[in-house]
Amino acid sequence: MGNDVDGTAKVTLRQAEEEVITLASELIRIDSTNTGDPDTVVGERAAAEYVAAQLAEVGYDTTYVESGNGMKGRGNVFARLEGADPSRPALLVHGHLDVVPADASEWSVHPFSGAVQDGYVWGRGAVDMKDMVAMTLATARRLKRDGIVPPRDIVFAFLADEEAGGMHGAQWLVDNRPELFDGCTEAIGEVGGFSITVKDGVRAYLIETAEKGIAWMRLRVRGRAGHGSMLTDDNSVTRLSEAVARLGRHRFPLVMTDSVREFLAAITEMTGLEFPEDDIDGAVAKLGGLARIIGATLRDTANPTMLNAGYKANVIPSSAEAVVDCRILPGRQPAFERELDEVLGPDVEREWIANLPALETSFDGPLVDTMSASIMAEDPGAKVVPYMLSGGTDAKAFDRLGIRCFGFAPLKLPADLDFSALFHGVDERVPVEALEFGTRVLDRFLRHS
């Protein structure tokens, strides 16, 4: 646990390690499913009230905020732990309380059971991201309970609606309650800090330094309505289908961003694997389960996900629509849109349903050094490397406030666990030992940040 932790502190840190398992299990039992439809969202307020109670129990003053343009139940909780140097900028530690839906019939255990068995905590949100919420809570409680004063102020934020883009959560809070983030210049959140075993038990811990942009797009083609039995050369369904098929098959160009280059260089150094640009896809495929994430950060993507046309079998509709999930690399938005228009052609109307920009920061500075030291104190010989997330997080909102964001939810994972497949997957689960490890790392990180 490190030489800087005395005997008494080791006991209380062990208490936090034990507590994190209970916290994770109890959080999972709160069904905080976010369907994306405000009328069917459940449990966010209950989860926020649970978090607030855990913080208040050890003496935190908490702020509860309902976000989302007056919609009830979109609960968010904030607490600030004062640091030794009030002149230093504050650190934001954020996590979201909502989860994606789960079909219980597909699971080995009930997705909202929070079962602790076979060395894992099971349930929807176990890795996305009630694991990090539990680690944050356990660490925040330990710091307050033991009267530990961190080097600078820490703002703990537990948020709603991340799984639907944060429009009724982080994005709303940044627009309407920016004072809650006063003084924060750096932040840590989800989808980073987890390990991958690269060879012979040697682990690399991936710190998220970049995210692709999220742009959901609606396509529409208009045509001539008519009877389904007649000949027509202006069928909106046909022309939309052709455009969607072209886009779905299109391969956007390879673009090597700084974050991806640094990641691949680090893996080459650790394993000897080469990543030649003339066969980059084949080389990345050798990374196993991680190839799904890394492969998606090599180029822009545009995946058709929804189709809607017609209202009766014998009526040719006057319009047809599709929705496309676009993920865009940092700095690529203008070039991406030009290429998009070339592929779709002039007869296809398009509009953005949501358009959250990409972000990228450099992998350097005291905060990165502290992340590395905190990991390596618990896993000597490990290497900490940057990477780009193909998805998105609430960091997109905080970036608008000028906050430098990293993904750092530390977990030491078994070599044979396909961790990336568990995000939004069936039988989502997190190892008990990984939660205990992450709590030790997060404790050390916050005490030295």
Side-chain angles (χ1 to χ4, degrees):
M1 295 183 189
N3 296 328
D4 59 336
V5 182
D6 63 25
T8 302
K10 285 183 180 181
V11 171
T12 57
L13 179 54
R14 182 57 197 164
Q15 180 182 349
E17 291 178 59
E18 294 170 352
E19 193 172 75
V20 73
I21 310 306
T22 300
L23 291 168
S25 177
E26 291 181 350
L27 281 162
I28 289 168
R29 284 182 220 153
I30 301 171
D31 180 354
S32 52
T33 297
N34 185 352
T35 61
D37 177 1
D39 293 332
T40 58
V41 168
V42 298
E44 284 178 334
R45 178 170 186 163
E49 289 174 342
Y50 173 88
V51 167
Q54 295 295 324
L55 293 170
E57 184 180 65
V58 294
Y60 281 97
D61 292 327
T62 63
T63 300
Y64 176 84
V65 179
E66 293 218 342
S67 58
N69 301 311
M71 285 184 286
K72 298 296 183 183
R74 312 312 295 263
N76 306 265
V77 175
F78 292 81
R80 184 180 286 257
L81 182 62
E82 292 186 358
D85 184 355
S87 69
R88 284 190 62 191
L91 173 69
L92 173 64
V93 181
H94 62 95
H96 64 84
L97 299 171
D98 59 325
V99 298
V100 296
D103 181 349
S105 68
E106 298 177 338
W107 287 57
S108 301
V109 302
H110 194 281
F112 298 105
S113 66
V116 183
Q117 62 186 51
D118 304 323
Y120 287 83
V121 181
W122 296 68
R124 177 59 84 220
V127 301
D128 187 13
M129 64 171 296
K130 290 180 176 178
D131 56 345
M132 178 58 171
V133 171
M135 291 190 295
T136 301
L137 267 180
T139 305
R141 283 167 57 88
R142 178 281 222 273
L143 296 176
K144 191 72 169 180
R145 191 167 48 224
D146 292 355
I148 296 172
V149 179
R152 56 170 162 168
D153 283 11
I154 301 172
V155 175
F156 297 105
F158 304 88
L159 309 170
D161 196 43
E162 190 276 344
E163 294 293 1
M167 299 304 173
H168 304 305
Q171 298 283 350
W172 186 94
L173 290 161
V174 166
D175 287 335
N176 295 276
R177 296 295 304 274
E179 75 280 2
L180 293 167
F181 308 97
D182 277 354
C184 294
T185 60
E186 295 176 308
I188 62 167
E190 63 176 327
V191 205
F194 59 91
S195 70
I196 58 169
T197 301
V198 292
K199 69 169 186 177
D200 302 328
V202 177
R203 281 170 291 277
Y205 288 83
L206 277 56
I207 309 300
E208 187 219 299
T209 57
E211 297 180 3
K212 294 179 81 173
I214 300 175
W216 296 334
M217 177 178 62
R218 179 178 289 109
L219 305 179
R220 183 181 293 107
V221 171
R222 304 182 191 276
R224 187 169 58 251
H227 199 286
S229 68
M230 298 187 180
L231 295 174
T232 179
D233 59 0
D234 190 17
N235 188 313
S236 62
V237 176
T238 301
R239 290 195 289 117
L240 176 74
S241 299
E242 290 170 344
V244 167
R246 287 195 302 273
L247 184 59
R249 289 192 296 265
H250 182 69
R251 193 78 155 174
F252 287 88
L254 172 70
V255 177
M256 297 289 281
T257 61
D258 290 343
S259 296
V260 171
R261 285 188 187 279
E262 288 185 63
F263 168 81
L264 295 178
I267 297 301
T268 296
E269 181 183 335
M270 297 178 74
T271 66
L273 288 173
E274 298 288 342
F275 297 93
E277 293 192 14
D278 59 353
D279 186 28
I280 191 71
D281 295 300
V284 167
K286 298 175 184 177
L287 297 174
L290 190 65
R292 282 191 294 270
I293 295 177
I294 303 304
T297 63
L298 299 174
R299 50 178 50 87
D300 304 321
T301 58
N303 286 314
T305 55
M306 299 173 68
L307 292 169
N308 183 36
Y311 53 89
K312 199 171 186 295
N314 63 348
V315 177
I316 298 170
S318 60
S319 68
E321 296 182 355
V323 173
V324 182
D325 185 347
C326 305
R327 304 298 171 117
I328 306 167
L329 292 167
R332 275 277 302 171
Q333 182 89 22
F336 175 81
E337 293 198 34
R338 287 194 298 271
E339 193 164 344
L340 198 63
D341 289 337
E342 290 174 6
V343 174
L344 292 173
D347 296 332
V348 180
E349 302 171 16
R350 63 174 178 85
E351 62 175 325
W352 296 119
I353 304 169
N355 196 349
L356 300 175
L359 58 93
E360 186 170 30
T361 188
S362 56
F363 189 60
D364 56 19
L367 196 71
V368 170
D369 294 341
T370 306
M371 290 179 198
S372 299
S374 300
I375 289 282
M376 289 186 285
E378 295 294 334
D379 190 1
K383 186 175 178 63
V384 177
V385 301
Y387 89 109
M388 178 185 292
L389 179 66
S390 59
T393 73
D394 281 335
K396 293 189 183 304
F398 306 133
D399 184 64
R400 295 198 285 122
L401 293 176
I403 297 174
R404 187 184 185 208
C405 297
F406 296 90
F408 186 66
L411 296 170
K412 181 181 177 182
L413 299 171
D416 59 351
L417 180 67
D418 188 354
F419 187 63
S420 65
L422 297 178
F423 285 86
H424 299 187
V426 172
D427 284 343
E428 186 179 350
R429 63 198 181 277
V430 63
V432 167
E433 291 184 357
L435 287 171
E436 294 170 341
F437 170 89
T439 301
R440 295 195 300 272
V441 171
L442 197 60
D443 177 89
R444 183 184 299 274
F445 172 75
L446 293 181
R447 287 188 291 108
H448 294 88
S449 294

